[in-house]
């Protein structure tokens, strides 16, 4: 719309969608590389990455919420006293009576973000991306069940195509009986390094990605229910989401740490092997969480689906170039089916009908 904010003259709505597509592709590539390019003995802890993601995202969202309150106040309100008043106001909003509602999507997102690590360590990037499209299926199912949403026959048809497409990609990826070996890219820094081959287990990968699709669908629908059911600021909701995520994110770290579980022990083990690739993965994840929030605010979930399907093409092309991913006919057929299904699902229902009724006097 005319009132929506712009960046360099372009509507924020479209800038955020394109950014999300690039972010999605970049995350799957960097996350995959950060896991498979390192011998298991030097691997970083995904639990640490999940915790850092929530800590950083929550802190940034808190600063944005604070800046929004400050920018709405007058010059006097921007003094040190004004800052304290704004800080207390944001805190009051965060710890409001209904903040507990965010605990359910928070736990689900932590589980999803952890499963993503298992999936991406055991599947080729492009296969992961295509299979992850099944979350459209679970989102639809939970929307029908929880939000009592009705789906048109075109949407149901699109969902069937999606399942078929994912099935085709799965068949070609799991057809080999032996676990797949990761290709060390030719000309990479690892070429001259001692060869360590990361063994991938596609079955484990598919199990993780299927479970992640369920948590994605349920968490997304639940978050939508909470957001649309109240007037609370999106950034405040994001802080609440991150705060509730801290509990399930910290538990596995305590569990994994050597006994006795002293804070010093936990902290020393936390950042072990946490190199540049691990930090890059966290940074892209944090950025993605924030862009997702902007997409939800200035755009909608339908267009978000488009952005994700665009990211399949991007990560597919990148993994051909970077990881020597082989293009097989069944991959092309399967991913084309998924892309067509995504496009079909995103067609506005009864567009012509709306256009006709909008010009008719009521
Ligand atoms: O794939 P899907 O759209 O379900 O992914 C959602 C991702 O965005 C999750 O990693 C979740 O942690 C993040 N997210 C977020 N803030 C929100 C909603 C989702 O960081 N408000």
């Amino acid at each position: 719309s005319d009132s929506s904010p712009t960046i360099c003259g372009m509507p924020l709505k479209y800038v955020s969608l394109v950014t999300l597509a690039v972010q999605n592709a970049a995350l799957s590539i960097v996350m995959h590389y950060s896991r498979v390019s390192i011998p298991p003995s030097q691997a970083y802890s995904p639990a640490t990455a999940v915790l850092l993601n929530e800590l950083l995202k929550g802190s940034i969202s808190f600063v944005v919420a604070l800046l929004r309150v400050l920018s709405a106040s007058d010059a006097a309100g921007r003094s040190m006293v004004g800052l304290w008043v704004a800080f207390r106001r944001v805190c009051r909003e965060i710890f409001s009576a209904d903040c507990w509602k965010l605990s359910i999507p928070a736990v689900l997102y932590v589980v999803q973000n952890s499963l993503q690590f298992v999936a991406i360590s055991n599947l080729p990037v492009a296969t992961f991306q295509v299979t992850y499209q099944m979350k459209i299926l679970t989102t639809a199912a939970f929307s029908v069940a929880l939000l009592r949403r009705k789906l048109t026959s075109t949407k149901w048809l699109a969902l069937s195509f999606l399942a078929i497409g994912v099935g085709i990609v799965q068949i070609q990826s799991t057809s080999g009986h032996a676990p797949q070996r990761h290709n060390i890219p030719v000309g990479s820094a690892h070429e001259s390094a001692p060869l360590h081959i990361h063994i991938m287990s596609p079955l484990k990968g598919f199990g993780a990605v299927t479970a992640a699709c369920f948590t994605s669908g349920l968490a997304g629908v639940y978050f939508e229910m909470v957001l649309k059911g109240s007037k609370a600021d999106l950034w405040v909701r994001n802080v609440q989401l991150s705060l509730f995520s801290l509990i399930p994110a910290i538990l596995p770290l305590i569990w994994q740490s050597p006994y006795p579980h002293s804070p010093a022990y936990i902290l020393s083990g936390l950042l072990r092997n946490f190199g540049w690739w691990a930090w890059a993965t966290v940074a892209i994840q944090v950025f993605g969480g924030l862009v997702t929030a902007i997409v939800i605010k200035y755009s909608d979930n339908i267009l978000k689906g488009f952005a994700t399907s665009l990211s399949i093409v991007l990560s597919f092309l990148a993994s051909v170039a970077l990881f020597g991913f082989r293009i097989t006919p069944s991959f092309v057929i399967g991913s084309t089916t998924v892309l067509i299904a995504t496009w079909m699902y995103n067609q506005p229902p009864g567009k012509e009908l709306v256009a006709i009724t909008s010009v008719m006097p009521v």
Side-chain angles (χ1 to χ4, degrees):
S1 73
D2 291 334
S3 60
S4 72
T6 57
I7 291 181
C8 303
M10 288 174 292
L12 182 59
K13 177 176 169 173
Y14 296 109
V15 175
S16 62
L17 282 166
V18 174
T19 311
L20 191 67
V22 177
Q23 182 275 340
N24 249 276
L27 178 64
S28 56
I29 291 162
V30 173
M31 198 187 231
H32 180 80
Y33 190 77
S34 77
R35 301 301 293 166
V36 300
S37 66
I38 291 159
S41 60
Q42 288 168 28
Y44 66 91
S45 156
T48 305
V50 171
L51 176 65
L52 287 175
N53 176 23
E54 295 305 337
L55 280 174
L56 290 170
K57 213 170 55 188
S59 310
I60 295 170
S61 298
F62 183 85
V63 171
V64 175
L66 195 63
L67 288 177
R68 279 169 59 85
V69 171
L70 281 176
S71 68
S73 56
D74 54 14
R78 287 175 210 162
S79 63
M80 278 315 275
V81 176
L83 187 66
W84 176 240
V85 172
F87 178 84
R88 286 189 42 182
R89 194 178 135 189
V90 173
C91 288
R92 251 200 325 272
E93 281 181 31
I94 292 167
F95 297 103
S96 60
D98 70 345
C99 71
W100 61 268
K101 285 181 184 167
L102 274 296
S103 61
I104 293 165
V107 173
L108 290 169
Y109 276 138
V110 168
V111 172
Q112 179 183 342
N113 291 340
S114 310
L115 285 169
Q116 220 175 326
F117 275 98
V118 179
I120 208 132
S121 311
N122 289 291
L123 290 173
V125 175
T127 311
F128 165 78
Q129 282 281 58
V130 173
T131 318
Y132 210 21
Q133 289 306 294
M134 270 198 311
K135 65 187 170 189
I136 300 176
L137 203 73
T138 54
T139 306
F142 284 116
S143 298
V144 169
L146 299 177
L147 296 170
R148 302 259 166 257
R149 217 162 258 172
K150 296 246 184 313
L151 294 182
T152 59
S153 44
T154 313
K155 281 201 187 332
W156 282 119
L157 192 66
L159 291 172
S160 328
F161 272 131
L162 179 80
I164 293 167
V166 170
I168 295 170
V169 174
Q170 276 191 10
I171 289 165
Q172 72 102 32
S173 301
T174 47
S175 54
H177 292 296
Q180 293 189 351
R181 279 155 182 258
H182 175 72
N183 297 326
I184 304 294
V186 177
S188 77
H190 293 273
E191 208 182 9
S192 55
L195 196 65
H196 50 261
I197 294 172
H198 177 87
I199 306 288
M200 291 195 276
S201 153
L203 222 55
K204 194 174 164 185
F206 280 126
V209 88
T210 306
C213 286
F214 274 94
T215 55
S216 168
L218 185 54
V221 169
Y222 205 96
F223 190 68
E224 192 179 332
M225 268 166 66
V226 174
L227 259 192
K228 299 194 171 155
S230 75
K231 285 200 174 71
D233 182 55
L234 177 67
W235 299 99
V236 169
R237 288 299 192 205
N238 260 356
V239 178
Q240 293 172 332
L241 195 64
S242 286
L243 278 180
F244 277 111
S245 298
L246 291 182
I247 305 159
I250 287 172
L251 282 180
L253 289 165
I254 297 174
W255 186 260
Q256 285 164 14
S257 76
Y259 192 81
H261 304 310
S262 77
Y265 256 126
I266 295 168
L267 279 175
S268 69
L270 210 64
L271 291 175
R272 199 185 309 123
N273 297 330
F274 221 80
W276 284 109
W277 286 104
W279 278 110
T281 302
V282 171
I284 298 172
Q285 257 183 325
V286 169
F287 182 66
L290 299 172
V291 177
T292 302
I294 293 167
V295 166
I296 291 169
K297 187 168 167 74
Y298 294 105
S299 185
D300 53 55
N301 277 308
I302 295 170
L303 287 164
K304 186 168 160 274
F306 261 124
T308 321
S309 70
L310 180 61
S311 81
I312 297 180
V313 181
L314 290 176
S315 57
F316 170 64
L317 294 177
S319 55
V320 169
L322 297 172
F323 303 117
F325 184 79
R326 269 173 312 179
I327 309 168
T328 59
S330 53
F331 182 86
V332 175
I333 296 167
S335 26
T336 309
T337 311
V338 170
L339 281 178
I340 293 170
T342 310
W343 176 80
M344 253 175 92
Y345 187 83
N346 286 303
Q347 288 307 297
K351 198 178 170 189
E352 331 73 58
L353 210 68
V354 173
I356 292 165
T357 50
S358 66
V359 291
M360 287 195 352
V362 182

